[in-house]
Amino acid sequence: MFQELHDLLGPQGCLTGADVPEAARSDGSRSGQMLPLALLRPATVEQVSAALAICHRHGQKVVVQGGMTGLAGGANALGGEVALSLSRLSGVEEIDAVQGVMVLRAGTVLEVAQRAAEAAGFLLPIDLGARGSCQIGGNIATNAGGLRVIRHGTTRENVLGLEVVQADGTVLSHLNRGVKDNTGYDLRHLFAGSEGTLGVITRAVLRLRPLPAAPETALCALEDFGAVVRLLQMAQRSVTVAAFEAMWREYFALSQSLTGKVLFADVPPFAVILEAEGGGLQPLLEAAFEEGVIFDALVAQSTAEARDFWAVREGHALDASLRGLINLDVSLPVARMADYADDVTAAVLAQFPGAHVSFFGHVGDSNLHVAIAVPDPDPQKEQAVDRIAYDAVRARGGSISAEHGIGTLKRDWLGHSRSPAELAAMRAIKAALDPKGILNPGKVI
Ligand SMILES: Cc1cc2nc3c(=O)[nH]c(=O)nc-3n(C[C@H](O)[C@H](O)[C@H](O)COP(=O)(O)OP(=O)(O)OC[C@H]3O[C@@H](n4cnc5c(N)ncnc54)[C@H](O)[C@@H]3O)c2cc1C
């Protein structure tokens, strides 16, 4: 089989043994243990198809790898897989300015696609902190969320057409460019968020928007979570909200001190980054002051100042400084977020005194990120933390994965958010599209 793959893809396209780079071992969750048996790097859709046909014939398991920034372990080999990387299948093929769409290959890095859209006067409305490494195929396969969901929806909502290679090498191509397309089952939405378990995404048609003027950005200080909700409601009524990101005191304090960017010397109970497109931020802030919703605010006077706000929110410094940091990504009704945070904090501290527990996230999308670091971390403690956080999600009717996906890290918790009947339907779909079970086995379900 390896000889067949080597003959098909050539020495650059089929790496084995010591030539397989360490980077193929783990995604951004840093949970991967195994190197894949080989790293396949097809450069064309035809090569993806032929490589999968070979693997299918031999019953060879395949793990699909994009930019390896995923946070759920979905792109990691578990043992005995070959990895199929989309990195060489990259590039923007076309920007159709009349239709307002972009056609591109799955291995295109998100930031490259964003720049190409901007150069043509458009906004590609998908954006996340990993933009410099993650790929469009990975974004679609995880249905990535990120910073612009409140304005433009998740990745899925910006995909108009898809080309996917099935487990046996069959190419399903529906590179539709229209917003309306009710021609039977919408396979596009099935593959979006399927995390490499149903097919390999090779090309996509993405929706573009007119490039907006730079948004106005404010960092607001608030007394309690009720005020955060009121500010969100006021903003949604009076401006075009481009971002609404909340940080609880513990998160803001630590991230601010680690980044060395002192934005509020007196750390407020809650801080919110509010971005508005098309003006109207100043009157909104004045009204929020008058109504006692916010008690302080900084308005960015330059892109650099806005970037400082975002540096504190993105919190990369926490990843580097907190050993064994557990990053959870849950979805909850907004009205239940405050008591969720209080209950999870109390439960974690009761079990692990001295732990760091903090909250931040895309509150406007009902999405909360939880950052927890316990003293002397180990897998059992991580499991205990997951249980506390996910039991509390289930009790509030939330989702254990708002945007990062399930992969391996959340697979055993999927039943907290999905019923046995739903899981059975998912297994039936998997069996229908990949009857030999060669694509990303052990992931999601
Ligand atoms: C600093 C940082 C910030 C982040 N911020 C966000 C955020 O705000 N919102 C968010 O949603 N995520 C975020 N993430 C997570 C991650 O960036 C996203 O999940 C991203 O969409 C993964 O893309 P990738 O190309 O790196 O995919 P990978 O990690 O390579 O793969 C992810 C999954 O998709 C599958 N896959 C990859 N490519 C394909 C393909 N072409 N066809 C089929 N399956 C494929 C893989 O098998 C795997 O299951 C962040 C990660 C980091 C490191």
Side-chain angles (χ1 to χ4, degrees):
M1 181 191 73
F2 289 108
Q3 190 59 51
E4 283 181 67
L5 290 167
H6 196 271
D7 291 347
L8 171 73
L9 301 170
Q12 292 303 311
C14 180
L15 307 180
T16 49
D19 291 336
V20 179
E22 273 293 312
R25 189 186 289 269
S26 183
D27 67 7
S29 69
R30 292 183 223 132
S31 60
Q33 311 288 329
M34 303 274 175
L35 272 182
L37 298 180
L39 181 65
L40 310 183
R41 302 171 68 239
T44 64
V45 178
E46 292 71 26
Q47 286 187 342
V48 174
S49 165
L52 280 175
I54 292 170
C55 292
H56 190 258
R57 193 152 29 82
H58 289 274
Q60 171 61 51
K61 297 182 280 183
V62 179
V63 58
V64 191
Q65 297 191 335
M68 299 299 278
T69 68
L71 296 173
N76 299 344
L78 301 180
E81 297 98 333
V82 302
L84 191 148
S85 164
L86 277 296
S87 298
R88 289 212 301 164
L89 188 66
S90 74
V92 174
E93 291 184 347
E94 185 189 345
I95 292 179
D96 178 342
V98 175
Q99 195 71 16
V101 302
M102 167 185 270
V103 185
L104 71 180
R105 300 184 195 115
T108 310
V109 169
L110 173 60
E111 195 169 30
V112 171
Q114 289 174 332
R115 293 251 167 83
E118 277 165 29
F122 287 99
L123 174 79
L124 173 61
I126 303 169
D127 192 25
L128 41 144
R131 64 184 76 77
S133 307
C134 64
Q135 299 175 0
I136 291 298
N139 299 149
I140 297 171
T142 55
N143 184 28
L147 307 173
R148 302 292 167 213
V149 172
I150 194 167
R151 175 84 176 95
H152 298 292
T154 60
T155 296
R156 164 180 280 132
E157 288 154 87
N158 294 290
V159 177
L160 294 174
L162 265 193
E163 179 181 80
V164 176
V165 182
Q166 291 188 271
D168 65 357
T170 304
V171 180
L172 292 181
S173 192
H174 190 58
L175 293 169
N176 165 66
R177 296 183 182 203
V179 173
K180 292 186 166 181
D181 177 27
N182 284 350
T183 50
Y185 299 146
D186 199 334
L187 299 176
R188 173 181 60 139
H189 285 315
L190 187 57
F191 290 110
S194 64
E195 299 183 49
T197 60
L198 299 182
V200 179
I201 297 161
T202 46
R203 286 200 292 173
V205 182
L206 299 180
R207 197 171 178 179
L208 301 175
R209 314 282 171 158
L211 194 60
E216 298 173 294
T217 308
L219 179 70
C220 307
L222 306 93
E223 280 297 351
D224 54 37
F225 190 73
V228 173
V229 176
R230 280 166 62 209
L231 180 62
L232 175 62
Q233 290 170 332
M234 288 177 80
Q236 283 172 326
R237 276 198 296 267
S238 60
V239 297
T240 302
V241 181
F244 191 95
E245 300 285 321
M247 292 166 269
W248 271 240
R249 182 202 296 272
E250 295 73 16
Y251 182 85
F252 186 81
L254 184 60
S255 186
Q256 178 172 255
S257 82
L258 288 173
T259 51
K261 297 184 189 302
V262 181
L263 301 170
F264 289 129
D266 289 331
V267 175
F270 288 87
V272 166
I273 296 179
L274 171 56
E275 282 197 353
E277 268 175 25
L281 186 65
Q282 199 63 40
L284 165 64
L285 295 177
E286 283 164 17
F289 267 118
E290 272 168 29
E291 293 186 27
V293 174
I294 61 176
F295 65 87
D296 200 355
L298 303 172
V299 178
Q301 301 301 318
S302 64
T303 318
E305 278 186 24
R307 265 205 300 271
D308 283 350
F309 300 172
W310 281 106
V312 173
R313 156 62 184 86
E314 288 185 349
H316 298 308
L318 267 75
D319 291 337
S321 76
L322 291 177
R323 193 161 78 88
L325 180 66
I326 303 167
N327 267 313
L328 302 175
D329 152 53
V330 303
S331 181
L332 291 159
V334 175
R336 304 302 310 272
M337 284 185 170
D339 64 86
Y340 175 83
D342 290 346
D343 288 358
V344 168
T345 303
V348 171
L349 290 178
Q351 207 165 334
F352 303 108
H356 169 87
V357 188
S358 65
F359 301 84
F360 62 104
H362 321 291
V363 166
D365 314 325
S366 306
N367 180 187
L368 206 55
H369 292 309
V370 189
I372 299 177
V374 299
D376 306 317
D378 64 33
Q380 284 72 31
K381 289 180 182 173
E382 187 165 340
Q383 172 101 4
V385 165
D386 285 354
R387 177 163 294 288
I388 290 169
Y390 295 146
D391 282 355
V393 165
R394 179 165 61 180
R396 290 164 176 82
S399 159
I400 59 152
S401 176
E403 57 179 14
H404 294 163
I406 298 299
T408 51
L409 298 183
K410 294 192 177 185
R411 196 190 58 186
D412 295 343
W413 301 102
L414 191 53
H416 269 47
S417 292
R418 293 307 189 106
S419 68
E422 286 178 299
L423 294 175
M426 288 187 204
R427 288 197 186 94
I429 291 169
K430 168 74 177 168
L433 293 186
D434 179 18
K436 285 192 176 181
I438 65 162
L439 283 181
N440 247 2
K443 311 290 168 55
V444 185
I445 47 172

